[in-house]
């Protein structure tokens, strides 16, 4: 078995169906923290800004009660819109960075804004960027990441995403080639890459020094065929079950984990399975089975005994 000891397993609120700070179709933050500990995870992301307690002292207490630690946070930004968008992003990312500092986390995942509405799936802008918009995205990413690192000691990792302007492997590679590797690196989301017909292992091999953080996610190829045939937005694809628990989708996880292990770097590998909207009793069994699957692959740590309050 490949030595995966430098890969650290965690999960994220996304795997419990959490897309927004508050929503009637989501579990509460208390249920989320209780259940990820019960499922065997020791590490979590913060999820949408405002989902978990924003007071650093209270957040630390809630985490410590459940023996949990934070790997990173996530924030959306539309940097292709220029200087005003960058200024807004500096404010929102700085707020998240301060909270990450307070709980000892190092990574902040930069999500580009979708060009489809997350609720309705309706198009909100064009799917392709003009040359100036691409330059604004690249330059804004460099500046934002530099500020996060120099002012907060937080590393910004960019997350390609379906229904955004950096989705396909071609666009991901162009983005990595155009941005400054001193500051801007990659959160490789395996599901989003596969959804857009990309090759995760190929990206790892081409850009070994840029893969600093990973979201482990699988896509159901049959659902994806339906999504493409009907030209459905990402929000509708998720409702149809596009994202599935391993080993029932693509990419195949063992070769992917092997490629990551060969980087010989300390990397967080955070489980994500988009489930929004979802009934509150659904995520825990899936999360526990998924933790067990990755533990069997040699990835950890997974707790030997469930957390009990």
């Amino acid at each position: 078995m490949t030595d995966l000891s430098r890969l650290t397993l965690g999960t994220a609120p996304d795997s419990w169906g959490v897309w927004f700070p508050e929503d009637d179709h989501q579990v509460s933050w208390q249920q989320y923290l209780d259940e990820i500990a019960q499922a065997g995870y020791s590490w979590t992301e913060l999820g949408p800004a405002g989902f978990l307690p924003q007071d650093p002292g209270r957040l630390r207490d809630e985490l410590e009660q459940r023996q949990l630690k934070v790997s990173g946070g996530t924030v959306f930004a539309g940097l292709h819109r220029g200087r005003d968008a960058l200024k807004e992003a500096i404010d929102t990312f700085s707020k998240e960075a301060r909270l990450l500092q307070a709980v000892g986390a190092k990574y902040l995942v930069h999500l580009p804004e979708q060009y489809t509405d997350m609720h309705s799936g309706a198009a909100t802008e064009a799917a392709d960027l003009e040359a100036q918009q691409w330059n604004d995205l690249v330059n804004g990413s460099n500046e934002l990441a530099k500020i996060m690192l120099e002012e907060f000691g937080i590393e910004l990792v960019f997350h390609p995403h379906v229904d955004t302007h950096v989705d396909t492997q071609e666009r991901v590679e162009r983005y990595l080639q155009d941005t400054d590797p001193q500051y801007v690196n990659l959160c490789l989301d395996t599901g989003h890459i596969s959804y857009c017909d990309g090759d995760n292992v190929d990206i790892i091999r081409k850009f070994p020094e840029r893969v600093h953080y990973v979201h482990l996610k699988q896509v159901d190829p049959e659902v994806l065929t339906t999504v493409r045939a009907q030209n459905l937005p990402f929000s509708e694809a998720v409702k149809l079950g596009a994202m599935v628990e391993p080993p029932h989708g693509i990419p195949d996880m063992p070769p992917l984990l092997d490629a990551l292990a060969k980087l010989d770097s300390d990397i967080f590998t955070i489980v994500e399975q988009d489930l929004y909207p979802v009934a509150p009793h659904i995520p825990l069994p899936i999360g526990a089975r998924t933790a067990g699957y990755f533990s069997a692959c040699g990835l950890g740590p997974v707790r030997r005994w469930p957390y009990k309050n």
Side-chain angles (χ1 to χ4, degrees):
M1 181 182 289
T2 303
D3 180 10
L4 305 181
S5 60
R6 298 194 69 177
L7 309 181
T8 299
L9 184 68
T11 192
D14 185 36
S15 295
W16 262 250
V18 176
W19 276 10
F20 307 100
E22 287 186 77
D23 189 277
D24 291 340
H25 302 292
Q26 297 178 174
V27 301
S28 68
W29 65 263
Q30 294 95 333
Q31 178 179 339
Y32 171 71
L33 291 181
D34 285 344
E35 291 190 351
I36 64 170
Q38 291 169 20
Y41 297 101
S42 298
W43 292 88
T44 180
E45 289 184 352
L46 296 180
F51 172 63
L52 292 181
Q54 297 298 286
D55 176 74
R58 186 180 183 194
L59 179 57
R60 281 194 300 267
D61 288 345
E62 296 289 349
L63 294 167
E64 289 170 3
Q65 287 174 27
R66 300 165 175 87
Q67 301 172 35
L68 295 169
K69 294 171 283 188
V70 175
S71 59
T74 54
V75 181
F76 282 91
L79 298 182
H80 63 287
R81 297 194 185 97
R83 295 302 302 180
D84 288 344
L86 175 59
K87 290 177 183 178
E88 180 181 349
I90 291 170
D91 288 341
T92 55
F93 279 65
S94 295
K95 181 180 179 181
E96 187 80 352
R98 292 185 189 98
L99 186 57
L100 291 170
Q101 273 186 321
V103 294
K106 177 183 176 183
Y107 294 96
L108 180 48
V109 178
H110 169 195
L111 287 154
E113 287 185 0
Q114 294 179 207
Y115 55 75
T116 56
D117 185 88
M118 292 178 69
H119 283 288
S120 68
T124 55
E125 59 181 307
D128 297 306
L129 295 181
E130 302 292 338
Q132 184 57 53
Q133 291 176 309
W134 181 264
N135 289 337
D136 286 337
L137 170 62
V138 168
N139 294 331
S141 295
N142 289 338
E143 187 170 343
L144 180 62
K146 186 173 187 289
I147 290 170
M148 293 301 107
L149 188 62
E150 294 183 349
E151 293 192 11
F152 303 101
I154 297 294
E155 181 178 345
L156 206 64
V157 283
F158 184 85
H159 181 310
H161 196 291
V162 176
D163 284 5
T164 75
H165 301 105
V166 186
D167 49 3
T168 64
Q169 183 170 346
E170 180 183 7
R171 288 176 171 178
V172 172
E173 292 186 7
R174 180 187 175 195
Y175 179 85
L176 290 175
Q177 289 162 354
D178 289 355
T179 49
D180 186 345
Q182 182 179 358
Y183 299 110
V184 180
N185 288 292
L186 185 65
C187 169
L188 180 70
D189 187 296
T190 63
H192 285 273
I193 296 297
S194 291
Y195 189 109
C196 296
D197 286 332
D199 184 332
N200 286 277
V201 172
D202 188 49
I203 292 173
I204 294 167
R205 289 172 179 164
K206 286 180 176 176
F207 299 92
E209 297 180 355
R210 305 295 292 276
V211 180
H212 286 204
Y213 195 92
V214 176
H215 282 168
L216 296 174
K217 183 180 293 181
Q218 283 194 319
V219 183
D220 185 327
E222 292 185 4
V223 174
L224 194 52
T225 297
T226 300
V227 167
R228 288 170 177 164
Q230 299 181 20
N231 194 29
L232 298 175
F234 183 66
S235 59
E236 292 302 312
V238 170
K239 292 174 185 176
L240 291 177
M243 302 303 177
V244 293
E245 65 183 277
H248 305 300
I250 55 171
D252 188 22
M253 282 297 166
L256 174 80
L257 296 175
D258 181 67
L260 290 171
K262 288 177 180 175
L263 296 177
D264 201 25
S265 302
D266 295 322
I267 298 174
F268 280 111
T269 48
I270 305 300
V271 173
E272 279 200 331
Q273 182 184 343
D274 297 81
L275 288 173
Y276 179 88
V278 68
H281 68 282
I282 298 294
L284 177 56
I286 295 174
R289 288 193 300 267
T290 301
Y293 170 82
F294 283 115
S295 178
C297 289
L299 187 59
V302 174
R303 303 184 194 192
R304 291 181 181 272
W305 300 279
Y307 162 85
K308 292 183 180 179
N309 194 356

